[in-house]
Amino acid sequence: MSALDRLADLVGIEPFYHDIWGNRRETSDATKRALVGAMGLPAGTEAEVEASLRAVEERAWRTLLPPVVVLDEQAPLSLTLAVPAGLDDADLFWTLTEETGVSHRASLTVGSLPVAERSVLDGVAFERRTVSTRLPSRLPLGYHRLSVEIRPKGIGGALEGSTTLIVAPERCLTVEEVVPGGRTWGIGLQLYALKSGDDWGIGDFDDLGRFAEVAAGLGAGLVGLNPLHALFPADPNHIGPYSPSSRSFLNILYIDVERVPELAATPDAQARIASEEFRGRLAAVRAAELVDYPAVSALKLPVLETLHATFRALDERDPRRQAFDAFRRELGEPLRRHAVFEALHEHFYRQDASLWMWRNWPPAFHDPNSPEVQAFVAEHADRVEFFEYLQWEADRQLGEAAERGRKAGLSIGFYRDLAVAAHPGGAAAWADPRSLVQGANVGAPPDQFNLKGQNWGLAPLSPVGLRESAYGSFVAMLRANMRHAAALRIDHVMALQHLFWIPADGSDGAYVEYPMQDLLRIIALESRRNHCIVIGEDLGTVPEGFRPAMERAGILSYRVLYFERSPDGGFKAPREYPAEAMVTVTTHDLATFKGFWTNRDLEWRQRLDLYPDQGARDKDTWDRGVDRWRLLQALSREGLKPGSYPTDEGSQPFSRELMEAVHRYLSRSPGRIAMVQIEDALGEAEQPNLPGTVDQHPNWRRRLGVPVEAMAGDEGLRGLAAAVRSERP
C-alpha cells in the first residue's frame, strides 16, 4: 500500500464504492489528494504525503489519552494510554468526574496495565497500554471527564492527560414508549407555506400553533416540519431550508411580529404598521401565490429593530430582560458567535455583494477570536444583541406553538428536520472551522435520477474535527433541533456512516467514513435526555447492514410509497413494510400524489428541458402510466377500490376517493408513524421543491391554497384524516 493510500485510509477516505447500478468505482489518487488536503493535511507532493502520514500516525502516540471515548451503558471502561516505554514502576492516578460533579479516584502502577502495542518515534520508544475496568460500578448516562496523571519514581515532573467519557444507552426513545399501542399518524408541512388572515406573507410560528391545534383536533399525533434552520438575514434571497447558515439556530423570518410583547409598548412600530403605505405592502405579500422573501424581510426586520430598541430600554429587573439573559446564559458562546457572524455578514455584504462568503472578508475577520472581531463586537454591541434577541424571540414563539399543540392533544408533538450539512459561507463554518471542512462539498454519486451526480454545495463535518472536539458541536446541534420537539428527522441519515465528498475543484468524489457507532450512541443519549423520537431519512443508496444498525439503535426508517416496490416492480403490500419505520406517500422533493397521478412533475421536467432527449421523456410517461395501473391493482388487492372505476383502467382520473384509498393503504402498514403531507390533504398538484433546479422552479416558495383558519372545516383534509384514522385509530 502506497503512502497516499495509507494516509487516505487513516483519515477515512474509502478506496471505492459501488454505484446504484452495481458498478465498482475506484477512488482516484487525485481525489484522495484533494480530500486529504480539504481535511487540512497537505498532500500535493509525495514529500507532503509522507509528512502528513507521519503526523497522523504519530498523533495518537504523542497524546496520553484519546480526546473522547464513547461507551454503551453498563459496558466496561476500555481505552488505551500512550506512554513512553520504561515507566513500569510509575504511579498512575486517575480521577473520573461525573457530569454532576461527583468524583471517583484510584491509583495503580503503569506496569500493571498490559501492553497492546509498541512503536519508536524519533528514537523514543512508546507503548500503548490498555485500561479495562468497571469504574465506578454504575456510571450514569452522560458526559463525564477522566483525568490521568503519571508520576515516574525518582524523576521530577509528571505526565498528564484527560478525555471526555460519554456513556450512552443502546436505543433511542421509541414510539411505543410515547404512544399507547405504538402506532400513530401525523401531518407534514413546510412552515413558510402556511397562510392566515394576519400573516405577513409567510407562515409564522403563530400560524404553526394554530395548525397544531387543527391537526390535534383531527386526531393526529404529530406535526412534521421542514428545517427551521437559520438562513442569512442580510440576504433574504437565500431561501433553501436545506442550505442553512447554521443548523443550531432558527430562521428569524418565522417570527410573528405582532406577537412580540414589545409591540404593545412601541407606538412608532404601531403607527408604522397602521400606515397606508405599510398596509398596502402587507396586502400585496399576503395575496401573493408565492412567498416573496425579500418583501417579507423588508416588512419584518425594520419593525423588529424598533421593537428591539424598546426592549433595550427595559429595566434589568423586567421579566423579559431576565428571561433574555437566562437564554443567553443557557446557549452561551455558540449563540454569541452566531449573532456576531450575522452582524458581520450584514456589515460586509451591504458594503459589497462580493463579500457574501466570509472567506472573502478581510483575513483578520476570519477568526472569531481575533482582536479585529472583538473590536467590531464592541463597536456594534447593539446590533449583535439584536440578532441574539431575534433568536430568543423565535425560540419563545416556537415553544409556545409546541405547547399549543400539546394542550390540544398531539400525543407526540412536533417533529423537526435536521439538514444533512450547512453552507460553507455560513455562521457554523465561521464559528467553528475545525468541525466543518472548507475544501470539499457534500453531494451524491450518479444515480438514475441524476446521471451526473449531485453537488449540494454544503460543507461536510470533519470526522477528525468531530473527535478532536469530543463531538461537542454534534451534541449541541442535536440538542438545538430537539428543542421544542418530540421527534427529529435526520435528513440523509447514511451520513452517520459515510458521506460523499466532492473536491472543491468539482472533480470526482469519494465516500468518507464517519465514526458511526459513536454518533449512534450520542443520538440515543440525546434522544433519551430530550424525550425525542428519531427518524432517519434512508432514501437512495443505503450501505449494506446500515438499516439493521439503525433499527438496533431505535432509529425509525423512512419509507416512501413511490419507492417501496416488490421484485416484479409492483407496490409492496402494507404488511411488507417494516414496523420500525415512518411511512409516507411522498416527500417535499417528490410529486404530490395529485401531481404524480396527473403527470404534473413530468410536465415541469419537459417545460424546463430537464430531459436529455424525447426518448427519456416518453419512457417516463410510459412508466408513470404503468405505475398508476400497478397502484390500482395493489389497492384492489386490499379491498380499497376507489370509486366506481375498474382497477384495470390505467387512465382513472384523480379523485378525492383515490387519494383517501392510497392513504388508507399506507396506513395499514405496521409502520410506527404514518405521515400525510398537507399538500396531499388539500389536493395540491405542485410540489414544494423540484430537485435539479434552483430558480427555474419556484422551490421553497409555494403557499397553500387554504388558510389555516379554514383548515379545520376543509372537506379534503377532514376526509383524508378520517381515512387514516380508520386504519390507525
Side-chain angles (χ1 to χ4, degrees), residues 168-205:
E170 183 180 2
R171 287 172 60 78
C172 296
L173 182 73
T174 64
V175 178
E176 307 96 290
E177 294 173 87
V178 179
V179 179
R183 291 171 83 238
T184 188
W185 69 281
I187 305 175
L189 62 93
Q190 318 297 314
L191 177 52
Y192 62 81
L194 284 179
K195 66 180 180 181
S196 63
D198 58 2
D199 70 56
W200 284 27
I202 189 172
D204 57 41
F205 290 129

Side-chain angles (χ1 to χ4, degrees), residues 517-532:
Q517 289 306 313
D518 283 2
L519 298 179
L520 286 176
R521 292 185 185 111
I522 292 169
I523 290 170
L525 174 57
E526 292 302 318
S527 166
R528 293 281 170 185
R529 288 196 155 184
N530 293 280
H531 201 71
C532 194

Side-chain angles (χ1 to χ4, degrees), residues 42-56:
T45 66
E46 291 305 313
E48 288 179 340
V49 168
E50 292 284 356
S52 293
L53 178 60
R54 276 196 310 275
V56 171

Side-chain angles (χ1 to χ4, degrees), residues 266-286:
T266 312
D268 289 352
Q270 296 172 23
R272 183 187 187 109
I273 293 170
S275 70
E276 183 176 348
E277 184 269 342
F278 191 93
R279 302 306 293 182
R281 291 161 58 203
L282 192 54
V285 296
R286 278 182 184 157

Side-chain angles (χ1 to χ4, degrees), residues 167-452:
V167 181
E170 183 180 2
R171 287 172 60 78
C172 296
L173 182 73
T174 64
V175 178
E176 307 96 290
E177 294 173 87
V178 179
V179 179
R183 291 171 83 238
T184 188
W185 69 281
I187 305 175
L189 62 93
Q190 318 297 314
L191 177 52
Y192 62 81
L194 284 179
K195 66 180 180 181
S196 63
D198 58 2
D199 70 56
W200 284 27
I202 189 172
D204 57 41
F205 290 129
D206 184 63
D207 295 330
L208 176 59
R210 283 184 274 185
F211 181 83
E213 292 168 341
V214 171
L218 293 169
L222 71 162
V223 169
L225 299 168
N226 60 296
L228 305 179
H229 304 323
L231 298 180
F232 296 83
D235 179 15
N237 292 291
H238 187 99
I239 64 174
Y242 290 92
S243 180
S245 172
S246 170
R247 294 182 287 173
S248 295
F249 296 96
L250 294 170
N251 182 348
I252 54 88
L253 284 186
Y254 289 138
I255 293 173
D256 181 345
V257 178
E258 294 184 84
R259 298 298 183 277
V260 178
E262 281 70 51
L263 181 60
T266 312
D268 289 352
Q270 296 172 23
R272 183 187 187 109
I273 293 170
S275 70
E276 183 176 348
E277 184 269 342
F278 191 93
R279 302 306 293 182
R281 291 161 58 203
L282 192 54
V285 296
R286 278 182 184 157
E289 180 182 356
L290 303 175
V291 178
D292 184 339
Y293 288 91
V296 169
S297 177
L299 287 170
K300 288 195 173 188
L301 284 181
V303 178
L304 288 168
E305 289 168 355
T306 306
L307 301 186
H308 176 244
T310 298
F311 173 80
R312 284 185 60 80
L314 293 176
D315 187 274
E316 291 184 359
R317 294 166 294 182
D318 186 280
R320 283 274 290 174
R321 171 59 74 173
Q322 291 183 346
F324 175 61
D325 290 342
F327 179 78
R328 291 203 292 183
R329 286 193 299 271
E330 180 186 359
L331 272 65
E333 184 62 20
L335 171 64
R336 183 72 166 173
R337 286 198 176 188
H338 180 80
V340 170
F341 171 84
E342 296 207 322
L344 281 167
H345 188 253
E346 177 184 74
H347 173 76
F348 285 116
Y349 181 61
R350 285 181 176 177
Q351 287 182 19
D352 183 348
S354 69
L355 299 179
W356 195 96
M357 293 284 288
W358 62 266
R359 286 192 171 272
N360 293 337
W361 300 349
F365 291 90
H366 293 184
D367 179 3
N369 296 312
S370 72
E372 290 81 0
V373 169
Q374 300 313 309
F376 175 90
V377 171
E379 185 179 350
H380 300 84
D382 289 2
R383 200 61 181 170
V384 172
E385 187 191 90
F386 172 63
F387 287 113
E388 291 178 311
Y389 170 81
L390 294 184
Q391 286 300 319
W392 171 58
E393 182 60 23
D395 179 81
R396 186 190 70 82
Q397 291 194 9
L398 175 59
E400 285 193 351
E403 182 62 20
R404 290 170 69 175
R406 282 192 293 270
K407 287 182 176 179
L410 291 178
S411 57
I412 293 180
F414 291 159
Y415 95 53
R416 292 180 60 179
D417 199 346
L418 178 63
V420 67
H423 196 286
W430 177 81
D432 188 11
R434 295 180 308 161
S435 295
L436 284 176
V437 172
Q438 286 291 321
N441 291 329
V442 174
D447 59 28
Q448 70 265 44
F449 298 106
N450 295 275
L451 298 178
K452 295 182 179 180

